């Protein structure tokens, strides 16, 4: 199977070219990923509770990186305010479970739905801006949301609140259940974005990212597609926020709405490879390993992380996954013209 120029191949050899996605490498990689997920699903029987808690943080990084990549890498929207929806998801879980009395596990998807409902009207305000103004505007929106939350006594106002709805479950089982829930969310988010990018909307997003004007002239409804992506990314960040709070059992406005989350998302995507499905997953793993191994360095930890980001940006502009140069695609979303000799 050789990838060739379609017209020249058909005329020169008489072979019939065909358009395909993926190949044997993609099938093999997919089988490997299924095996990895199966092993991760069995880990609570093998590792300590502390390790499970740490891995939930890794799953949250995967979700956050995937959502920011969907926004910037595929939708062309560079946001530094997604912490607004991380916070809404976390506080939504606490409010639904503690005040309304909804089951805490059921509260997680409901909190994500709340984020989507908030993001829809918010997009009409944010989309009045573009480029760097859009990025700054999303950060301002996040700060406004944080200030509003600190005025709500039902969720602890400025001091935050604790999640006690899990008190009826033994810690051993609670940690395992939260772990499995978080693993499932990470898998669903990654696979969901993969399927989205293989759809007509995914093709439209690629055109919008490359040239919005040309995409619009070709019949793509640019604003509608970008708004849908913005809402989906908000819901995904809400899931991550709920995962974080379910894992720590505590939420505070200063931490859950921290702009540090925006910096982490950018780092994860840029390091792994923007505009790919695999990149954010790899970037999340790299950040998790750096965070775990360098935590004892204090402020020097941030210096090392920054140095790694600079080095990767200079030496591998397409990210670590870009070093494969497309030879390995676990989640193929593009098309290839191939001919069988």
């Amino acid at each position: 199977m050789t990838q060739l120029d379609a017209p020249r191949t058909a005329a020169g050899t008489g072979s019939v070219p065909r358009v395909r996605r993926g190949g044997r490498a993609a099938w093999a990689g997919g089988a490997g990923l299924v095996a990895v997920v199966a092993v991760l699903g069995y880990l609570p029987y093998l590792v300590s509770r502390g390790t499970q808690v740490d891995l939930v943080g890794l799953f949250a990084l995967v979700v956050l990186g995937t959502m920011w990549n969907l926004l910037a890498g595929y939708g062309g929207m560079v946001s530094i305010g997604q912490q607004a929806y991380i916070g809404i998801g976390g506080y939504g879980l606490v409010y639904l479970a503690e005040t309304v009395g909804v089951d805490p596990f059921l509260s997680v998807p409901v909190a994500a739905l709340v984020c989507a409902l908030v993001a829809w009207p918010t997009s009409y305000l944010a989309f009045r801006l573009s480029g760097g103004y859009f990025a700054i505007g999303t950060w301002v929106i996040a700060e406004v949301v944080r200030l509003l939350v600190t005025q709500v006594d039902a969720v602890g106002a400025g001091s935050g609140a604790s999640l006690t709805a899990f008190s009826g479950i033994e810690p051993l089982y609670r940690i395992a259940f939260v772990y499995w829930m978080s693993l499932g969310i990470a898998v669903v988010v990654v696979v969901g974005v993969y399927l989205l990018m293989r759809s007509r909307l995914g093709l439209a997003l690629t055109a919008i990212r490359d040239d919005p004007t040309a995409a619009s002239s070709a019949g793509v409804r640019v604003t509608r597609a970008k708004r849908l992506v913005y809402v989906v990314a908000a819901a995904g960040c809400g899931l991550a926020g709920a995962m974080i709070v379910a894992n720590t059992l505590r939420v505070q406005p200063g931490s859950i709405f921290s702009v540090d989350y925006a910096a982490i998302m950018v780092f994860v995507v840029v390091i792994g490879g923007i505009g790919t499905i695999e990149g954010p997953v790899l970037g999340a793993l790299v950040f998790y390993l750096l965070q775990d191994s360098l935590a004892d360095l204090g402020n020097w930890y941030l210096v090392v992380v920054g140095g790694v980001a600079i080095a990767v940006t200079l030496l591998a502009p397409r990210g670590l996954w870009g070093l494969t140069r497309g030879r390995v695609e676990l989640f193929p979303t593009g098309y290839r013209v191939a001919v069988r000799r």
Side-chain angles (χ1 to χ4, degrees):
M1 190 74 67
T2 306
Q3 185 176 334
L4 298 171
D5 179 74
R8 183 166 61 86
T9 299
T13 67
S15 300
V16 179
R18 66 188 181 91
V19 178
R20 65 179 178 85
R21 280 176 170 173
R24 294 179 180 177
W27 283 103
L33 289 175
V34 171
V36 169
V37 172
V39 171
L40 289 174
Y42 191 74
L43 273 186
Y45 297 103
L46 303 175
V47 300
S48 65
R49 286 182 285 180
T51 301
Q52 294 175 52
V53 170
D54 291 340
L55 287 175
V56 171
L58 172 61
F59 300 149
L61 287 175
V62 170
V63 173
L64 291 175
T66 301
M67 290 295 96
W68 198 86
N69 183 56
L70 177 63
L71 271 177
Y74 292 119
M77 294 176 284
V78 178
S79 170
I80 56 174
Q82 293 307 106
Q83 61 271 21
Y85 304 108
I86 298 174
I88 293 174
Y91 270 100
L93 169 61
V94 172
Y95 180 79
L96 290 168
E98 298 293 329
T99 304
V100 181
V102 180
D103 179 83
F105 291 105
L106 180 60
S107 297
V108 173
V110 176
L113 178 61
V114 171
C115 290
L117 294 176
V118 172
W120 184 265
T122 303
S123 67
Y124 286 89
L125 175 63
F127 285 8
R128 296 178 66 88
L129 306 171
S130 61
Y133 295 103
F134 174 83
I136 296 173
T138 55
W139 173 73
V140 172
I141 291 172
E143 286 298 297
V144 170
V145 173
R146 180 183 66 82
L147 292 173
L148 290 175
V149 169
T150 59
Q151 306 303 313
V152 181
D153 293 332
V155 290
S159 60
S162 297
L163 181 63
T164 62
F166 288 116
S167 58
I169 306 176
E170 292 186 18
L172 176 66
Y173 296 109
R174 175 189 64 79
I175 293 174
F177 292 157
V178 171
Y179 173 90
W180 283 320
M181 177 192 70
S182 301
L183 173 61
I185 289 174
V187 171
V188 168
V189 165
V190 172
V191 174
V193 171
Y194 169 58
L195 295 177
L196 176 66
M197 293 311 302
R198 288 175 65 98
S199 67
R200 290 174 60 89
L201 177 59
L203 185 61
L205 288 175
T206 303
I208 292 170
R209 178 194 60 190
D210 294 340
D211 192 329
T213 303
S216 179
S217 65
V220 177
R221 301 179 68 174
V222 175
T223 303
R224 180 181 179 181
K226 293 175 69 173
R227 179 167 289 116
L228 179 58
V229 167
Y230 184 81
V231 171
V232 170
C237 289
L239 285 173
M243 289 164 54
I244 293 169
V245 174
N247 195 38
T248 62
L249 302 180
R250 178 73 183 172
V251 61
Q252 291 180 307
S255 58
I256 200 70
F257 287 106
S258 174
V259 72
D260 290 348
Y261 281 116
I264 291 172
M265 284 186 278
V266 174
F267 177 88
V268 164
V269 175
V270 171
I271 290 296
I274 191 169
T276 63
I277 303 296
E278 303 89 348
V281 178
L282 178 59
L285 180 60
V286 170
F287 182 82
Y288 171 79
L289 294 176
L290 287 174
Q291 190 179 43
D292 184 63
S293 59
L294 303 176
D296 296 335
L297 296 181
N299 291 334
W300 283 102
Y301 150 74
L302 298 175
V303 175
V304 174
V305 170
V308 171
I310 294 173
V312 172
T313 302
L314 294 177
L315 301 177
R318 297 173 59 187
L320 296 177
W321 190 259
L323 295 176
T324 64
R325 299 185 182 277
R327 290 189 291 267
V328 179
E329 287 185 293
L330 301 180
F331 298 97
T333 58
Y335 294 90
R336 290 185 177 182
V337 178
V339 62
R340 187 185 300 274
R341 289 186 180 277

